[in-house]
Amino acid sequence: MSGKTATAPTTYSPSPTQKKRQPIFKDVDWIRPDGRGFHQCRPAFLRTGAVNAAAGSAYAEFGNTKVIVSVFGPRESKKAMMYSDIGRLNCNVSYTTFATPVRGQGSDHKEFSSMLHKALEGAIILESFPKTTVDVFALVLESGGSDLPVVISCASLALADAGIMMYDLVTSVSVSCLGANLVIDPISEEESYQDGSLLITCMPSRNEVTQLTLTGEWSTPKIHEAVELCLDACSKLGDVMRSCLKEAASASQE
Amino acid sequence: MGSSGASGDLSGEMEVDAFRRLFPLRFYERHLLESVRPDARPLGRARDTTVALGAVATADGSAMAKIGCTTMLAAIKLEVMTPPLDSSDEGSVAIDFHMPPICSPIVRPGRPAEVAPVVSKQLSDAIISSGMINLKELSLVSGKAAWMAYLDIYCLDADGALFDAALLAAVAAFSHLQIPAVTVNDDGRVVIMSGENEEEEESVMETPVTVVLDSSSRLVSLYKPGGPVLAYMSAVQDCVALTRQRVKELQKILSDAISDMEVD
């Protein structure tokens, strides 16, 4: 048995430090690192029923961003909570230690849990499960950029898999502003150089936005353009999610 | 309750389900009398086990192991540390077992599962005391720099046999581990050069016994954490014999996974 001292030694990662090179995004013609067009999203791999222990679950892979979401419930609310004639939603997003290139950076995203909550609560029919709580837990296995939109879309899929009543599926897409260009579904490298970002969560069939988050510098026409881009991408993503659910349902019927 | 008249099968099924929930011990005893488990497995057979190496591309070594529905993801990240004075030519391994809220309804954020630190300690002890890893191989510059291997194991789906699956994933991750080639730069920093048992069964069991054997079937660890039942030597010996057989199965699975990786 090794007798290690109680205090953990400080360690550092041996990866070569990124040299501060001139961001290529300032050039007139530049290609995205993964070769996509500016208005092209990453291909999505979606699967429901990833976790057997949960009431509903989903796994989503958008390029290098990999997320698992489990839904538990409706189940008993904590005893301390007072009676409520509508249901409660509880969300939590956490990162694995190896999700980010530098170990342990995932704890920088503590606000994601509350943002996920705000994105979903408008879409769930809380009246359908009074006095109880639905728990939505997300774990980011690998962070490749646009983490929160992927978490939100995956959570909506997991809720559908669990049979929680919703007004519509919820899809989410983000757009980054890099100089004069708008790029959709940014990867981590693009996000680190962005001048501003827009995240939209909407219910595609109802054409309603449940959450809109804008950061950084934007001019008004740019905002309109970005919103149009996002809504269009959201509705396409909604179709992809719907076909994933249909496949899962028909597979289980066989 | 389903109507017993119209669909006799349905009411039969519901009775079984209700019986299983209300009297779990008797439910299992009825099966054990026939030497079989509810999923028709004989007592000595384990659930389907799979191992996939290299599941996490950004880690220096990783593996995903599944036993039945229980899924474990293990990843090793290497960082550089200054070794302590009393072991200046050895590296170190830090093993952490996590049960995130996604894996089971009993885990809540802020209220971790009771079993998680127990499995974490068991894993640590088993891996370090087995001598599986030669810490001297993790040394870089004697007294100045050595590797610290952070092994993080995440349970993605908890359905019993947590320790077994976690250990399998950990061993597989170490077998996949490749230590990168490094040199020391001008500032003195090191840089990389231009990488069973199902849940329900366990809840009615009174006392689990865990046996760990190494590749030459020598006993590495035996863990019987208290409990109201005393384990007779004959029962312990039966456990060891079963483990011996399971070791052979697992070795085959692991070596198949490794040779698949080498072909690529």
Side-chain angles (χ1 to χ4, degrees), chain B residues 4 12 14 27 94 124 164 203 210 230:
Chain B
S4 47
M14 290 187 79
F27 178 78
S124 244
D164 300 28
S203 65
T210 308
L230 301 174

Side-chain angles (χ1 to χ4, degrees), chain A residues 54-114:
Chain A
S57 60
Y59 171 72
E61 204 175 293
F62 283 59
N64 283 334
T65 302
K66 299 174 181 135
V67 169
I68 294 187
V69 177
S70 288
V71 169
F72 296 99
R75 56 183 177 178
E76 221 183 303
S77 295
K78 291 202 294 244
K79 294 185 185 75
M81 297 213 189
M82 291 175 22
Y83 172 83
S84 160
D85 54 2
I86 58 165
R88 266 184 253 271
L89 176 66
N90 177 32
C91 296
N92 186 268
V93 178
S94 58
Y95 278 66
T96 57
T97 53
F98 44 81
T100 51
V102 175
R103 191 173 180 273
Q105 251 182 353
S107 48
D108 290 341
H109 299 293
K110 295 210 167 74
E111 73 278 12
F112 281 7
S113 301
S114 113

Side-chain angles (χ1 to χ4, degrees), chain A residues 225-236:
Chain A
E225 197 189 331
V227 169
E228 286 303 318
L229 262 178
C230 281
L231 290 177
D232 182 53
C234 279
S235 76
K236 294 206 176 94

Side-chain angles (χ1 to χ4, degrees), chain B residues 65-183:
Chain B
K66 279 181 78 140
I67 297 184
C69 293
T70 299
T71 308
M72 295 283 168
L73 180 61
I76 302 172
K77 279 211 145 168
L78 293 173
E79 294 203 347
V80 181
M81 68 164 189
T82 317
L85 290 167
D86 55 355
S87 50
S88 55
D89 58 349
E90 281 183 355
S92 177
V93 177
I95 301 170
D96 222 345
F97 175 70
H98 309 257
M99 281 186 74
I102 58 161
C103 75
S104 160
I106 57 168
V107 181
R108 309 285 176 112
R111 187 154 56 92
E114 281 176 4
V115 69
V118 174
V119 173
S120 192
K121 182 83 172 58
Q122 260 187 293
L123 268 176
S124 244
D125 291 348
I127 291 176
I128 292 172
S129 67
S130 70
M132 173 175 87
I133 301 155
N134 184 358
L135 293 177
K136 299 222 186 321
E137 278 178 28
L138 291 177
S139 173
L140 283 168
V141 177
S142 180
K144 299 263 172 53
W147 287 117
M148 164 72 105
Y150 287 108
L151 169 66
D152 289 295
I153 305 167
Y154 280 84
C155 178
L156 302 181
D157 198 348
D159 192 20
L162 297 182
F163 175 71
D164 300 28
L167 187 60
L168 185 58
V171 170
F174 273 113
S175 68
H176 179 251
L177 176 65
Q178 277 175 319
I179 301 180
V182 291
T183 114

